[in-house]
Amino acid sequence: MHALDRRSVVATVGVAAIAALVAWLFTRTERSDAMALTVCAQLYAKAAVHADTIRIDGQVPLQREQGQLNPLTCGALRSSYPDRFVRTSP
């Protein structure tokens, strides 16, 4: 039995780390919700009063295809990603 070459071990670990990083990036839900987050953030930024915010909470930011169930509302996105909807003072 011979010992593994150090370069092959480092290369194998490097390839595995890159593959894991790519898989992690593609499985993050924030990536798939990015467009809806942007639309909702723009709507909330234009809200002048609390009643506007309540109305926006119920809106579905993107058109869904007919077969898709349970579309996300802006309120659901705001509760899932609260750091994206922090309003800064002018």
Side-chain angles (χ1 to χ4, degrees):
M1 217 172 161
H2 63 73
L4 292 174
D5 183 23
R6 176 179 262 183
R7 286 183 290 166
S8 67
V9 171
V10 170
T12 303
V13 170
V15 169
I18 291 171
L21 177 66
V22 169
W24 177 74
L25 286 173
F26 278 100
T27 58
R28 291 183 63 201
T29 57
E30 187 172 347
R31 180 182 166 273
S32 63
D33 294 338
M35 284 296 290
L37 283 167
T38 302
V39 171
C40 289
Q42 290 173 351
L43 291 172
Y44 283 118
K46 294 177 184 176
V49 294
H50 185 65
D52 292 337
T53 302
I54 293 171
R55 180 184 48 79
I56 294 168
D57 280 344
Q59 289 186 357
V60 176
L62 300 176
Q63 294 294 331
R64 301 289 181 170
E65 294 181 15
Q66 190 172 4
Q68 291 181 330
L69 298 174
N70 197 15
L72 291 173
T73 62
C74 286
L77 288 169
R78 187 169 68 154
S79 66
S80 296
Y81 304 103
D83 56 328
R84 298 287 181 150
F85 296 98
V86 175
R87 194 171 218 180
T88 58
S89 299

